[in-house]
Amino acid sequence: MRRTSKQHPGPDGGERVLILSAGVGSGHNSAAAAVEQACAGRPDVTEVEVLDVLQASTSLYRDVLGKGYFVLVEETPWLVEWGYDLSDAPFRRRGPLDPWTRANAMPVVSAIKRFRPTAIICTHFLPAQLLASLILRGAVDARTAIVTTDYDFQGLWLTSAFHALFLAREEGRVQLTALGLPPDRVVASGIPIAAQPSTPAERDPAAPPMLLISAGASGGDYALAVVRQTLHLRSPFTATIVCGRNEALRRSVEDLIAPGDDRYTVLGFTDEMPRLLRRADLFIGKPGGLSASECMAAGLPMVLVNPIPGQEVRNGDYLMEQGAAVRCNTATTIGWKIDGILGEPGRLARMQAAARRVGRPDAARDVVDRLLDGPARPFVVTRAAQKTIFDASARRVVASELEGESALVRLVDPAASSTVALLRAGELDDLQQRYTGPDGTLVLRRDDAVLSVRRDSQRLLRAVLGRDEELAVRVEGLADLESAGPS
């Protein structure tokens, strides 16, 4: 997937926004499309390009990462859960990109050079990792953002360099600031979704509740079990079943419904999901990050079925914690669960109110505005700081509370009031000996002797200085910072 759209020209040539996604499922690309749509609301954005990095790579790489993932989900879900938990540790991966990934990333690097973006937004961790390496090499001169697409933060998304990290909810932000990341670089924006209809759907208050049963874009067979269970509901209802691109599933659902049963409407793939979400009273389907976010923005509670181990299970945990969902762990109780919601006075209304509280319909716009109006310098986490965070997490220690040589400290650009680096206290010596002036101010400089500093310091200087020759910074201990900042 590669699209380019032009907006109205803005001052000084305007912003050129490149959105990098990866087609592993539909959620990452849907988030990319939502961000692209939000760019249209900024008159200073002159051009937007969306690139699916898997489509730009080799077919083997694409099949292994894309199709291979869903084969594992179907055949060995326990392995998917094990891999998710293993990769959840923050900064488990700290070295350069592996040779295979680096080779497959070359077309993406070429695309970045051709497009010459002023801003790059990643809706998948694969391009986010690539982008961090380019920032540290000084090969990218653009504001960069990482936009997560599930409610629970997963450690694979953490990279060594970025401008802003956007999370689905406040708990994730609290988690990352406890790890040591600065509050000014982490934003609880919500998950970007397409713009919602401006007017609410009109519904007859006397009509029975409408169920929206979704098989997802690819059409999961679990939807057939859901429909079979609804045939025995005691509560009155109507149901719209969306079978996605699975024509065989659509035919099976139609065969299951008795002729003349006008309670059911069966659809294939449809572009009308935003309208359907607004009209429905209860959603039955998988808790993908984008699907759940769209439901919450529409005030639509969920009955969760067949979640993918790892991220979808955790999405469901959050929605249930907020009172906006229930989960069915077996196909035989789906009908009973739905009847319980529809039959208990006031329960559906309470769940709908909870969904509206969770919803973040303006997340895409917030991502674009926060990035384009935010700091111009990137934020860098040195490898020593990454290892400190990883080790502390393994020992269940709050990294921001460490002391002594292992303490995490940050370098702040006082002119922009933004953090530009996170490093271990022990790493400061090399920088202070070289760059501390007579008045005690630490001034980072691009000088001929830069090669004599440690390699990690070279990367930091190259990324933070950008085109400037020097930068005065303030040193702060993270343990002394307030635990909350602007979200």
Side-chain angles (χ1 to χ4, degrees):
M1 177 188 70
R2 183 169 183 168
R3 316 189 289 273
T4 303
S5 58
K6 293 185 178 181
Q7 320 293 342
H8 300 293
D12 303 323
E15 300 281 0
R16 299 170 56 83
V17 181
L18 179 61
I19 305 168
L20 300 178
S21 182
V24 183
S26 61
H28 302 288
N29 285 343
S30 295
V35 172
E36 178 188 23
Q37 185 184 52
C39 287
R42 298 262 316 197
D44 57 342
V45 175
T46 59
E47 194 165 357
V48 183
E49 182 168 301
V50 180
L51 176 64
D52 184 332
V53 299
L54 290 188
Q55 294 300 318
S57 64
T58 64
S59 58
L60 177 60
Y61 189 79
R62 184 164 59 248
D63 288 345
V64 169
L65 293 184
K67 296 178 182 178
Y69 171 73
F70 289 102
V71 169
L72 291 176
V73 168
E74 187 68 26
E75 302 295 335
T76 55
W78 60 268
L79 186 59
V80 173
E81 184 173 24
W82 175 82
Y84 184 91
D85 291 340
L86 181 67
S87 58
D88 195 28
F91 292 119
R92 173 177 287 278
R93 180 180 181 82
R94 297 184 294 278
L97 295 175
D98 62 85
W100 192 40
T101 299
R102 189 162 58 248
N104 279 277
M106 291 178 63
V108 179
V109 175
S110 297
I112 293 173
K113 291 179 179 178
R114 284 194 303 271
F115 187 70
R116 296 177 291 108
T118 61
I120 305 175
I121 299 172
C122 299
T123 62
H124 192 278
F125 58 80
L126 280 177
Q129 293 169 351
L130 167 64
L131 199 55
S133 68
L134 296 178
I135 292 171
L136 293 175
R137 283 164 40 196
V140 165
D141 183 20
R143 287 181 170 90
T144 61
I146 302 168
V147 182
T148 61
T149 54
D150 286 296
Y151 281 109
D152 222 42
F153 182 79
Q154 214 267 350
L156 272 176
W157 291 82
L158 267 181
T159 69
S160 54
F162 55 85
H163 286 71
L165 176 58
F166 294 94
L167 306 173
R169 57 181 175 132
E170 184 65 22
E171 184 174 342
R173 184 172 174 274
V174 171
Q175 174 189 353
L176 292 191
T177 54
L179 291 179
L181 272 70
D184 61 293
R185 296 290 189 160
V186 183
V187 182
S189 62
I191 299 171
I193 60 172
Q196 301 298 294
S198 57
T199 56
E202 294 183 4
R203 296 200 72 250
D204 180 359
M210 174 185 160
L211 310 180
L212 180 57
I213 302 170
S214 173
S218 59
D221 289 339
Y222 60 85
L224 188 61
V226 175
V227 176
R228 187 177 291 113
Q229 284 280 303
T230 64
L231 295 174
H232 309 292
L233 288 181
R234 298 186 301 272
S235 305
F237 73 95
T238 61
T240 298
I241 303 109
V242 180
C243 299
R245 296 185 175 90
N246 190 335
E247 282 300 314
L249 171 64
R250 180 176 181 175
R251 290 192 297 270
S252 296
V253 170
E254 290 173 338
D255 291 342
L256 185 63
I257 298 168
D261 191 342
D262 58 4
R263 294 177 300 175
Y264 294 93
T265 301
V266 185
L267 305 174
F269 182 82
T270 177
D271 294 324
E272 294 297 311
M273 281 302 286
R275 181 182 64 84
L276 293 174
L277 292 170
R278 290 281 175 175
R279 288 185 56 224
D281 295 289
L282 186 64
F283 178 96
I284 300 97
K286 292 166 65 64
L290 268 292
S291 297
S293 296
E294 290 168 346
C295 285
M296 297 302 103
L300 182 61
M302 305 177 74
V303 176
L304 311 177
V305 295
N306 204 41
I308 294 175
Q311 67 270 26
E312 289 193 354
V313 169
R314 294 193 186 190
N315 288 341
D317 289 344
Y318 171 67
L319 297 175
M320 290 187 291
E321 177 184 301
Q322 298 302 309
V326 297
R327 186 168 70 207
C328 297
N329 293 324
T330 173
T332 59
T333 63
I334 295 171
W336 179 77
K337 289 265 189 178
I338 296 173
D339 256 333
I341 295 171
L342 300 184
E344 180 181 328
R347 185 176 181 187
L348 181 59
R350 291 193 298 273
M351 292 180 68
Q352 290 170 338
R356 285 190 291 270
R357 289 195 299 271
V358 173
R360 302 290 291 271
D362 298 325
R365 186 184 64 192
D366 289 347
V367 165
V368 174
D369 289 347
R370 292 284 191 124
L371 177 64
L372 297 185
D373 298 335
R377 297 184 193 278
F379 165 68
V380 176
V381 187
T382 66
R383 287 188 185 171
Q386 293 173 46
K387 187 176 187 306
T388 295
I389 293 171
F390 175 77
D391 291 343
S393 179
R395 294 184 288 116
R396 301 184 184 276
V397 173
V398 178
S400 59
E401 297 178 355
L402 295 173
E403 298 178 350
E405 289 291 297
S406 296
L408 293 172
V409 297
R410 68 180 196 173
L411 304 183
V412 178
D413 174 4
S417 298
S418 63
T419 309
V420 295
L422 181 70
L423 58 163
R424 289 182 61 175
E427 292 184 280
L428 271 179
D429 292 343
D430 193 31
L431 296 176
Q432 289 176 325
Q433 289 176 13
R434 181 175 297 279
Y435 298 117
T436 299
D439 61 352
T441 302
L442 181 60
V443 182
L444 306 180
R445 294 189 304 275
R446 187 192 311 280
D447 55 26
D448 295 334
V450 71
L451 293 180
S452 65
V453 301
R454 291 185 301 183
R455 190 173 184 83
D456 217 14
S457 297
Q458 292 177 33
R459 287 190 289 263
L460 187 153
L461 290 169
R462 188 161 47 224
V464 168
L465 287 175
R467 297 178 180 179
D468 295 331
E469 291 300 318
E470 63 179 36
L471 174 67
V473 294
R474 181 175 69 248
V475 178
E476 292 185 353
L478 287 178
D480 299 327
L481 294 179
E482 294 182 358
S483 59
S487 63

